[in-house]
Amino acid sequence: MFDEKIILCVSNSYEEKYYFNEDFGSLPKSIRDELKIMCVLYTEEIGGILSLEFEEDGSLEFVVRADEDDFLFDEIGSVLKIKQLREVKKELLESLETYYRVFFLS
């Protein structure tokens, strides 16, 4: 269907910026705020760049990038934090996947 993944949001600890894809602007403000808090807190704690991206099948993936010379980036903490977020935010993440499949893939 498409070659590039669709980005929902990105938090960048290097530039201290947060980006939300306005294609998803119809999501309730409370959900947009929850995504912002979740992503910014992740990058504050772990470092690097975190993006939430939709795969072709509609699944939502956590994609983490870090500069090669970023010695403060916590790789092990990153894996553990994402696992924790997947558990704690399971309902939110599943709802976002359903929303994407209904409004973008159908």
Side-chain angles (χ1 to χ4, degrees), residues 10-19 39-40 43 48-50:
V10 179
S11 181
N12 184 328
S13 69
Y14 305 117
E15 297 178 14
E16 295 183 352
K17 291 187 178 179
Y18 174 79
Y19 164 79
C39 292
V40 169
T43 54
I49 301 168
L50 172 68

Side-chain angles (χ1 to χ4, degrees), residues 1-4 56 100 104-106:
M1 177 183 276
F2 50 83
D3 294 332
E4 294 184 22
E56 273 190 56
Y100 182 77
F104 289 85
L105 293 182
S106 56

Side-chain angles (χ1 to χ4, degrees), residues 52-106:
L52 298 182
E53 302 177 5
F54 287 103
E55 297 284 338
E56 273 190 56
D57 65 356
S59 61
L60 188 59
E61 296 298 320
F62 288 76
V63 179
V64 178
R65 295 174 191 85
D67 287 349
E68 198 170 298
D69 60 347
D70 182 358
F71 301 110
L72 298 176
F73 178 74
D74 184 359
E75 282 187 60
I76 295 170
S78 174
V79 172
L80 295 173
K81 187 70 175 177
I82 289 172
K83 182 178 179 183
Q84 177 192 28
L85 289 172
R86 287 194 176 279
E87 290 173 14
V88 173
K89 302 290 185 183
K90 182 177 181 176
E91 188 175 318
L92 170 67
L93 299 172
E94 288 175 351
S95 297
L96 288 166
E97 289 176 343
T98 301
Y99 171 87
Y100 182 77
R101 287 181 182 118
V102 168
F103 290 101
F104 289 85
L105 293 182
S106 56

Side-chain angles (χ1 to χ4, degrees), residues 17-30:
K17 291 187 178 179
Y18 174 79
Y19 164 79
F20 179 79
N21 185 343
E22 287 304 319
D23 289 344
F24 299 93
S26 63
L27 285 170
K29 184 172 181 346
S30 61

